[in-house]
Structures are given as C-alpha cells and as structure tokens.
Amino acid sequence: MKHFMHLIASITVLIILSGCLPTSVIDDVLIIEAEGVDYIGGNKVIGTVTMPNYVQSSNPGSSGAGLPTTASMIRYLSGTTYDGKSLVDRFQENGQRALRAGKLRVMLFNKGLAKHGLRKQIDLRNRDPEAPREMNLAIVDGSCKKLLTAIDYQTQIPIARYIQDMIEQNNKQNYPESTLESFLYAYYGDYMDPFLPVIRKSGDHLETIGLALFKSDKYVMELPSNKVFIFKMLFQKFDQGVYDFEFASQKHIALKNVHTKVSYKVKNGNSTSPDIYAHVSINAQIIQAYPKSINKTMGPKIEKKIEKHMAAQAEKLVHMLQKKQIDPLQLGQHVRSHTRHFDGKSWYDRYPNAHFHCTVDTTIIQTGISD
Amino acid sequence: MSVWNFLRQWKGKSKKKTPEQLYLAPEASQMISGSLNKNKRILDQAYQDCADVIQRVIRFGEKGESGALLVYLEGTANVEEIDEHVIKSLQKSKKPVRSLEDMKQALSVTDAQKIKQFADVFKNVSDGKPVLFLDGVPSALILGLTKWATRSVEDTPTEPVIRGAKEGFVESLHVNISLIRRRIRTPKLKVKTLEVGDYSRTQVALTYMDGICDKKLIQEILDRVNRVSIDGVWDGGMIQEQIQDQRWSIFPQIQTTERPDTICAAMLEGRAALFFEGTPNVLIMPTTFFAFMQSPEDYYSGFIISTLLRILRTIFILIALLAPAFYIAVITFHQELIPTTLIMSVIQFREQVPFPAVVEAVGMEITFEGLREAGVRLPRQIGPAISIVGALVIGQAAIQASLVSPAMVIVVSITAIASFMIPHYDLSIAIRILRFPIMIIASMFGLLGVVLSVICIVIHLTSLRSFGIPYFEPFAPFRKKASLDSVVRAPLWVQKQNPQGAHGNRNQSVKGRGQKT
C-alpha cells in the first residue's frame, strides 16, 4: 500500500512540475522563415526577419469561429542592432507572438556585411540548436531588407520559400551546394575557403548572379554566372549543368552535361610549387548548337575544341584564385590527401605558386533528336 | 510489491470451506440404502424445487416384481437412448435381475459404473449422467448417456483468416478436444482433466505433447490452477487473470484463441493448452509478446508475404501506440520537425480550434473508443446507425464545427486502423489503453516524454515472464533461432532444424521461475 501511495504521489508531482515546461504550440508562435542582415558600418546592422504571410485558404471547414486568421499576422520585423546579435532575441519584444527560429530557411547577408566578415553570424548559427543545418545562406547584391520586404513580386508565396526554391534548384544544376552545413565545413576546415551564391532583386523577380568567394569569413570576389559551371566541374562531380560555349564569334554551342567527374593527382606536394593535375571527364549532350556547326564528322572536332577551351578556362580560374590567395575549390585538401607528411604550415605560402594542370575529356553522347 | 502482497492476504481471508460442502446437498454424506423408497425419499429431499430432475420408477420382470429408480436431469440426459437401451432392455430382459452385475448385463449401455454414496449420485446427475437404483441393492449405476446442447463447429468470427482452417472451437469440451485430436493423431498428445469452480465444477482439460512439453511446466500449471479459488468459471479469462505470472500487468501473459490449428501449432512448440467446458476460448501458455502479433495465417501464406505482413503489423503497433502522442508532441513542442509546407496548413486548421492539441487528441480518442465499445454492444439490427453517427462525430462535421482539426481526424483514424491490425484482441486493448498515458505525458514533456514512456514499456515487457519464459523472447534475451519466427517469418525449412521449437524442453525455463518464487 505504501508503494502504491508513493506511485500516486510521484505521478502527482510529475504533473504539477510539468506546468513549468514551456510549450511552443505551432499556432501560438511566429515561425521565422528568413533572416536578412545588412551592414551599415560601425559594427551596426539592420536585421530583418520574415514570417510566412499567407492568406486564408478557401477551405469551408476552417471558416467561422470569429478567430483571427493567419493572414492578419505580421509579415516582417526590421530594426538596427549590433553585428552578431540573434535577431530572434532582438525582435522578441516586437513579436505579436513568440518568435521561433526552428524552421529558418534562408539567411541573407548583404555584400557590405560579407566584406566586413560573417564570423559573428556564423558563430551564432553554429551555436544555435534550433537552426536547421540544411538552411541556405546567400549573399545579396543590394539590400537584404528591401529584398525581403518588397511586395511587388509576381508571386504571392512567402519570400523565404521563393529564395530557397531558387537557390535549391540552382544547386541541382550549375551551382555548388551552399547550405549552412557546407559553409561551416569550408569555414572551419583546413586548407579551404567557403563560397555562397549571390542573389539580387531585379524588378519583380529574383535572380542568381554568381558565386561569392570568401577568404575565411570575408568576401573577396564574385565569380560571374557563366564561370560557375567551370567552378563546379572542378569542385565536385555533378550532372544537369548547362555550359554555353562560344566556339567562334557569335556562334554558340550549349552542352548539357549528363555526367561530370573530376579526379585530382598531385606531384611534389611538399615542394615550393606543387603540381596539381585535374582530370575532368564530361559526358555531354548538345542541347543547342549554331546551325550546321555539328554533325557526325564535326563531332570529334568540336569535342577537341571544347576540351581545349574548358581546360584553359579552368586553369585561368584557378590562377585567379591563387592570385587572390583563396581556395574555395579545396585544392589544399586534395594536395594534403595526396601527399605523405604534408606540410600544412607552409601551404598558404606555397599555394599561389602551385602549378595547376587541367585536362578535360569531353564525350558528346547525344546531339539531340534531329540528326 | 507490498501492494500485491496486501491484496493477496486480503483475498486469502475470504473463505475456507471445502468445495464438496459448497456444492453438494446436505444428504450427500449418506450411503445408498437397499430400499428404493428410502432412496427416493432422500432424493426428493435433495432435489426439492428442482423441477428439471426427473425420477422415474420402472417396474420390470415377469410379474413386475423388480423395481428400479431412474434419476436424471431433463435436457442433459439422452432420453431416446434411455428409452431404447435402459427401459426397453430391462423390460425385455429374460433373466431375473438381482444385482447390479445382472443389470449391467441386461442393459445395452457401454459406460456404466457402480457407486455407493449419495455424494456420487448428486455429482453425476449434475454432470448429466442418469443414475439407476435397483430395489434391494445398496448401490447404484451411473449411465454415460449424456447429451448436452451444443453449437455446431463453425468459423471463428473473432479470429478470421483468409487461408487456413475455418473451424473454431465450440462450447463443448469434448468437441474441442476431438478437434485437436483430429489434427494431432498420436498418443503422445496428453489430456489431463481437472475441475475448477466451487459451484460450477467446470471441467478443465490440460493438453500438451508428451516429450516436447516440459514436465515442470505441466506441474506448474496444474499447481496454479488448483490454487485458484472461485465460485464459477464461465470463460478461460477468469482463470487466466489469476494464474498469470504478473497479475497486475496490462499485457496478457497467456494467449487465448478459438482456433484449433493455433493450439496444435503451440503444442508442437512445447506449450500447453487449457480447455474449459462451456467456452470456446482456450488458453495457451507460456507465451511471448510476439505471439500476439502473429496470425496462424502467417504460416499458410508464403514466407515473403508473411514477413512483410508481420513487419507491417509491427509498424502499425507502433503507430497505434504512439501516433497521437507524437502528433501532440510535435504540435506543442517541436514545430521544427514538421515540413514547412505542412506546418502552414496545420497552423491554418489549428487556428480555428479552441482546444490545446492534447485536449483535442484525448477527446477524439475517447470518442473513438466509445464508438468502438458501442459498436460491440450494439444489437446487430441498429449497427448501421452507429456508423452514421460515428462518421458525424469523427469526420467532416466535427471539422466544420471547428471542434477538431483535420490533421487530428487523420491521426485518430490511422490509430484506429492500426489498433485493429493487431491480430489478438488482448494485446490490442492493452496498446489502446497505454496510448492515453503516453498522450498525456507527450503533452507535458514532448518527444522526451514519448521516448521515456516507450523505454518504460520496454523495461516492463522485458521484466515480464510467462510461466518462466521471458515475455520479450526471442529479443530479450536474444535467441537467434527463435528470432527467425518473430518479427520476420523465415521459411519453414529453415526454421524446422529444431523440432523442439521455441519453447521445447528447455529445462532452465520453468526451473528458473520455481527458484525465484
């Protein structure tokens, strides 16, 4: 009997104590979907957070009851704070309901902040157990606040979802993946630097205009959109990318790569100027060509031309990266993995002198249905 | 444990009268006398106000000088056979009948036993056997001419199968035993009978396979059944509750079935079955948790199909147990777990609902359980009415009235479907009951509470024993061979390496229990 009483007592205590546990019922919180941070100098930023704003669905089941509809919720909050402040905390007191960052989809930084350095922002997100690791980061050409709060977009879909959709579909094609996780990996990893896509608002829509390359946490340069294919080709194996090649003046050929593979070899990894050999093999499909520029006899010729052009482009790209002393392609990692007793300390001095050799092997496996 | 001890003591105090004193008339101690009239007087006294007890005096012999008294229960004795083989035979008898031996010769009845005490008379008349007294002889004959009303062997509505035998047990013990004798044709199939119930004196038969089943298990079952003190037994469940190892557990530690093939398979695995007169439900012991998730059909359809079905059942048991709790936890604490597109629609629907998720969920689940219970108790003619009302309560109307959100209706429905997928009712009801505390805990502690509840349940399951066999076998403790027939069902040719089966002749099993208690 005594034990039974103990059991009852402990269950009662359990229930009473449970009153202290904070809840976050989904219809009683504001779910932040996007954060944008604009740098205004002097360690001050303008932060913007957006919450999903959607109109009441026409479902007859959910009408009536005289309760506020979700369409009347606030859409965004914006204000100045210091760099590195959690925006959820900053705007908590302005929130109509409690703010929660658990479903954060995108974090945007303007170029100013990127140049100033993302160190504090990255540390904040790395520390936050609520923030999802697969959220997308991007650099905004222009003002994040304007991009996030504009109401003249063609679509009614919440802006955060629009941005994320755009970044994700690009990541499946020409752009390399740019989630918080990949950024953290490149940021904290040795012998590598992170990169992020650059987006901007162009009239009534958004566009992706290139790839921002970083030195550690600081923005260094922007890779224009037409070079991103070459970048991704050297970075990882991928498919579904499209490369536009101007083989002669005003004459274009567009390749859709069915599969691209890259392999690295390194010689003299510990010398002052290591040799890095990249071999890229592309299985491609011609999706667009200047009339009569390609047929069975011309095929191998064009292949050769493309190979030569791409190799040159790749070497040019790497050369530029070396000049800027940044390594978003993670070449340092390749050298390290191919070199016994790799000398990591002097790598940063040796990196600009490294010789990069690239060979491309293109196979056109299809030229469309017309031939 | 002290609670149980207390209740045991409290139960023990209630009564200590010998069963004989309880069910027999006070005249039982008397011996049968030589005088037919005296016997008749005693019978009249004992069977006062028993309109269905028929006493008939038969006069026979050439001049009608011999007299006999026939006593039987109307409806239980086979009257046609009494007419044909007792009365006619006696009257036609050429030889004079002076003793019971003469009478035995005169009657054309196989089963005839001699008794001397009135106690035996009362017992056998109650068992439906006619008793014949002969004038001048201080003993009587019991005639095995009984005919109890019984249902014919039919399909089992509670454990239907697509493939496999459609026979189910009936209320007659003898028919039930014959159904398993027909399937296992060997003298190694043993049947031990005993009686339970102070007034009902219910016939109980313990069947097992000699050489496969552990002798100690049989002894343990007999001991436990004999210890039971109860007025009447109308179903095996009344005994099951009293003989299972952990009587306060919500999980059944003895399996019930109405199917002869299930019983036969269990006996060949070294288990024992307990049949009760008057009920088609037969108990199988020992049993494991996984036996409740198996249908006899698993062995009749191919092993690929049955493995997939078993995995499906396992998934759905988890759904039946956890789906509402998981929903509550996610809605109340962990919105980051819901995909964003879904979260928007859930918010939109939840916006109109005035109750917290836990109230909504518990309310809906209780409503559903109510509907189910009402459906079981409902007379068959008004069955469709409940489905109409049910569709209103758990359906579009409830959503339109903003009483519940559509997501909740889906959760309740899938839980309902899942709980009906458990092949055995005993386990299904245990799972359904456990769902409620888990829901409450989930509303207080979120997924942490759900996980802790599952841990508690698993700890409980692994600590349970069924007649010394660990309840969560073959996973805790892990037995590789037996695990081939648990959540998966390996091909029969793989399983049958060991004819002893999962529970055969493992001496440590019952011995282990004996040492502990």
Side-chain angles (χ1 to χ4, degrees), chain A residues 1-4 14-15 18 21-27 29 31 33 52 54-57 59-70 73 97 100 102-103 105 130 161, chain B residues 1-4 6 248 330-341 343-344 346-354 357 396 399-402 406 440-441 443-446:
Chain A
M1 214 57 208
K2 210 170 138 199
H3 278 72
F4 197 59
L14 207 82
I15 290 167
S18 72
L21 200 77
T23 61
S24 69
V25 182
I26 56 163
D27 47 332
V29 294
I31 294 158
E33 283 204 310
Y54 43 86
V55 285
Q56 184 72 45
S57 78
N59 181 358
S62 52
S63 63
L67 284 154
T69 62
T70 22
M73 294 292 150
R97 288 172 171 175
R100 290 280 184 274
K103 295 300 299 181
R105 291 165 159 261
E130 272 201 349
R161 209 169 304 169
Chain B
M1 272 296 125
S2 67
V3 186
W4 320 152
F6 165 76
W248 282 79
V330 164
I331 292 289
T332 322
F333 295 99
H334 317 281
Q335 76 276 12
E336 59 270 17
L337 282 181
I338 317 174
T340 315
T341 349
I343 212 171
M344 291 309 144
V346 173
I347 292 175
Q348 267 177 310
F349 293 132
R350 290 272 310 132
E351 195 81 71
Q352 308 294 332
V353 178
Q396 194 64 25
I399 297 168
Q400 274 177 350
S402 287
I440 306 282
I441 292 168
S443 76
M444 299 194 283
F445 303 104

Side-chain angles (χ1 to χ4, degrees), chain B residues 128-179:
Chain B
K129 291 177 180 164
V131 176
L132 194 61
F133 296 87
L134 186 62
D135 201 7
V137 179
S139 51
L141 265 191
I142 309 163
L143 308 173
L145 299 175
T146 46
K147 186 189 175 191
W148 296 90
T150 176
R151 187 162 63 97
S152 62
V153 175
E154 288 163 4
D155 194 3
T156 55
T158 50
E159 291 171 79
V161 291
I162 309 265
R163 244 182 120 165
K166 302 285 187 291
E167 276 179 345
F169 286 130
V170 291
E171 283 74 7
S172 159
L173 182 66
H174 302 293
V175 175
N176 291 350
I177 299 282
S178 75
L179 284 176

Side-chain angles (χ1 to χ4, degrees), chain B residues 171-446:
Chain B
E171 283 74 7
S172 159
L173 182 66
H174 302 293
V175 175
N176 291 350
I177 299 282
S178 75
L179 284 176
I180 61 163
R181 278 275 183 212
R182 198 167 87 190
R183 283 174 173 77
I184 303 179
R185 301 179 182 212
T186 159
K188 290 211 157 185
L189 169 59
K190 304 292 181 197
V191 180
K192 280 192 179 178
T193 53
L194 53 157
E195 268 177 14
V196 189
D198 294 343
Y199 290 98
S200 69
R201 297 202 300 116
T202 309
Q203 288 273 314
V204 178
L206 175 69
T207 65
Y208 60 96
M209 292 301 293
D210 194 23
I212 299 180
C213 189
D214 195 332
K215 287 261 172 14
K216 291 183 184 108
L217 172 68
I218 300 304
Q219 198 49 50
E220 179 72 29
I221 294 171
L222 289 174
D223 286 351
R224 289 196 200 180
V225 174
N226 282 329
R227 275 206 297 268
V228 169
S229 156
I230 190 168
D231 285 349
V233 179
W234 326 123
D235 188 87
M238 297 170 79
I239 297 298
Q240 173 185 356
E241 191 178 303
Q242 304 190 53
I243 63 170
Q244 54 189 13
D245 294 49
Q246 180 54 272
R247 290 187 274 192
W248 282 79
S249 173
I250 195 169
F251 289 100
Q253 295 136 59
I254 291 173
Q255 193 185 333
T256 323
T257 185
E258 281 186 40
R259 300 186 53 84
D261 48 350
T262 309
I263 296 286
C264 291
M267 283 197 300
L268 292 183
E269 283 176 0
R271 302 177 213 219
L274 213 49
F275 290 73
F276 294 86
E277 175 71 51
T279 170
N281 293 316
V282 179
L283 307 184
I284 303 175
M285 61 215 86
T287 188
T288 62
F289 180 77
F290 295 97
F292 288 95
M293 286 160 62
Q294 297 168 1
S295 159
E297 211 175 342
D298 290 355
Y299 301 93
Y300 309 148
S301 33
F303 67 95
I304 299 174
I305 297 161
S306 14
T307 300
L308 290 176
L309 284 178
R310 280 190 182 177
I311 292 170
L312 192 72
R313 269 182 222 141
T314 315
I315 295 169
F316 270 75
I317 282 191
L318 291 176
I319 289 177
L321 186 65
L322 301 175
F326 187 79
Y327 176 79
I328 292 170
V330 164
I331 292 289
T332 322
F333 295 99
H334 317 281
Q335 76 276 12
E336 59 270 17
L337 282 181
I338 317 174
T340 315
T341 349
L342 183 63
I343 212 171
M344 291 309 144
S345 49
V346 173
I347 292 175
Q348 267 177 310
F349 293 132
R350 290 272 310 132
E351 195 81 71
Q352 308 294 332
V353 178
F355 311 113
V358 59
V359 174
E360 201 188 346
V362 172
M364 284 296 276
E365 291 288 351
I366 288 177
T367 312
F368 172 73
E369 291 299 322
L371 270 175
R372 196 197 53 78
E373 183 63 18
V376 174
R377 307 285 157 242
L378 213 62
R380 221 155 273 161
Q381 291 84 343
I382 44 174
I386 199 86
S387 43
I388 295 166
V389 177
L392 288 179
V393 178
I394 305 182
Q396 194 64 25
I399 297 168
Q400 274 177 350
S402 287
L403 287 174
V404 287
S405 64
M408 194 64 238
V409 172
I410 294 169
V411 171
V412 171
S413 316
I414 189 120
T415 315
I417 294 169
S419 67
F420 289 130
M421 260 183 82
I422 304 168
H424 291 271
Y425 183 73
D426 287 347
L427 181 66
S428 141
I429 201 140
I431 298 268
R432 285 214 302 266
I433 291 167
L434 281 176
R435 193 161 71 202
F436 287 91
I438 300 181
M439 270 152 73
I440 306 282
I441 292 168
S443 76
M444 299 194 283
F445 303 104

Side-chain angles (χ1 to χ4, degrees), chain A residues 120-132:
Chain A
K120 294 168 193 165
Q121 299 289 341
I122 294 306
D123 183 79
L124 167 72
R125 278 294 160 247
N126 193 24
R127 211 170 283 285
D128 186 357
E130 272 201 349

